[in-house]
Amino acid sequence: MASTSSSPSMAIPGQFLGPTSKFQPGPGTHIHESNLYSSLLGVVNITQPAKAPGPAKRLNKIINNQTTPTELPTISVLRSAGSSDKREVLPEVGNIVLCRVIRIMPRQAVVAILICGDTVLEAEWQGLIRVQDVRATEKDRVKIYDSFRPGDIVRAEVISLGDQASYYLSTARNELGVIMATSEAGNTMYPVNWKEYKDPETGLSEPRKVAKPY
C-alpha cells in the first residue's frame, strides 16, 4: 500500500484524486463525473490489485489495451490513526498550514487549521487572517469578502501565535491563498487568475485571493 507521485499524499474534502479510468474508488472517496474526489481529510493510500496465483497464461488472441476494473488500483483516503505515544503537533511561526474558512467579518476571516506541514492535526485550531495580512501590496484596498468565502480551503503561513484563542495567519505571498473554492451554486471552481475563481457549470466568476500556481 503506497501513494504515487501522480496522486497527493494528503487530501482534503472535495480534493481531486484522479479519473475513474485509472483508479477504483475506495473508502473515503466519491465519484463525480468520472472523477474521484476525497470525502474526508486524511492520508491517501493506493492499493494495487492482487495478482492471480500461479503462472500467467499466454493469450494468442489480440485484445484491446484496456484495463478492466478489477485490474485497477484502489485509491482510498484514511483518517490519520492516533497512537498513544504520538505527540500533538502545534502550529509554530513560519509553518505552512491548510485551513478551512469558517466565517468572514469586515476586518478578518476566521479559519480552522486542519493540516500543519504534512501532518493532519488531531484537533482543529482556530486562526485569523486579518485584512492587513491578506496581500503584500495594496493593503488598503483589500476586502475580506473579495478574498475568502466560508468553506474555502486556504494555504497560509503562521506569522504569530496571536492571542490565547487564535493563531494569526498570512496569505501575503504569491503561493499562499485559496487553493479550493466552491461557488455560490455549489460547484467546485477552478482558478483563472490571481484574483478570480470560475464556476465551470454556470460560467460565473467569483473574487478570491488565489494561491499560485493557477
Side-chain angles (χ1 to χ4, degrees):
M1 185 178 294
S3 60
T4 64
S5 58
S6 59
S7 299
S9 59
M10 302 293 300
I12 52 181
Q15 182 170 341
F16 173 74
L17 300 174
T20 54
S21 60
K22 291 186 177 181
F23 300 105
Q24 289 190 90
T29 69
H30 64 274
I31 300 175
H32 178 66
E33 296 183 349
S34 300
N35 288 319
L36 286 161
Y37 296 88
S38 173
S39 299
L40 49 82
L41 174 69
V43 180
V44 177
N45 282 289
I46 297 175
T47 305
Q48 298 300 327
K51 294 182 179 180
K57 295 181 180 179
R58 180 181 296 275
L59 299 178
N60 294 325
K61 183 179 178 181
I62 298 176
I63 59 175
N64 292 331
N65 187 24
Q66 294 181 342
T67 305
T68 62
T70 56
E71 296 173 333
L72 292 174
T74 300
I75 190 166
S76 307
V77 180
L78 308 175
R79 296 185 187 276
S80 296
S83 59
S84 59
D85 59 347
K86 183 176 180 180
R87 181 176 59 87
E88 172 65 61
V89 174
L90 299 176
E92 298 179 355
V93 173
N95 286 162
I96 301 299
V97 297
L98 291 185
C99 46
R100 182 181 64 250
V101 178
I102 300 174
R103 62 182 182 273
I104 56 174
M105 294 180 281
R107 302 292 300 175
Q108 62 189 18
V110 181
V111 304
I113 301 174
L114 308 175
I115 298 176
C116 181
D118 294 326
T119 304
V120 178
L121 300 182
E122 295 292 321
E124 292 185 359
W125 298 93
Q126 182 170 290
L128 298 177
I129 305 176
R130 300 170 297 180
V131 66
Q132 65 266 32
D133 298 321
V134 174
R135 297 189 184 278
T137 59
E138 299 181 331
K139 294 184 178 183
D140 57 330
R141 300 177 61 181
V142 171
K143 295 181 179 179
I144 291 293
Y145 188 76
D146 290 340
S147 303
F148 312 106
R149 300 286 174 86
D152 286 354
I153 301 298
V154 178
R155 181 190 298 124
E157 180 182 8
V158 180
I159 57 172
S160 170
L161 300 183
D163 53 28
Q164 293 182 346
S166 304
Y167 289 90
Y168 288 160
L169 310 177
S170 170
T171 57
R173 286 157 45 188
N174 289 340
E175 66 271 22
L176 304 177
V178 178
I179 61 172
M180 285 185 61
T182 302
S183 69
E184 293 181 354
N187 302 313
T188 300
M189 300 191 291
Y190 63 91
V192 292
N193 55 45
W194 61 274
K195 60 179 181 179
E196 285 183 326
Y197 268 82
K198 188 173 185 178
D199 185 327
E201 301 293 332
T202 66
L204 299 177
S205 296
E206 296 182 14
R208 293 291 196 280
K209 196 293 180 182
V210 182
K212 281 191 174 183
Y214 50 78

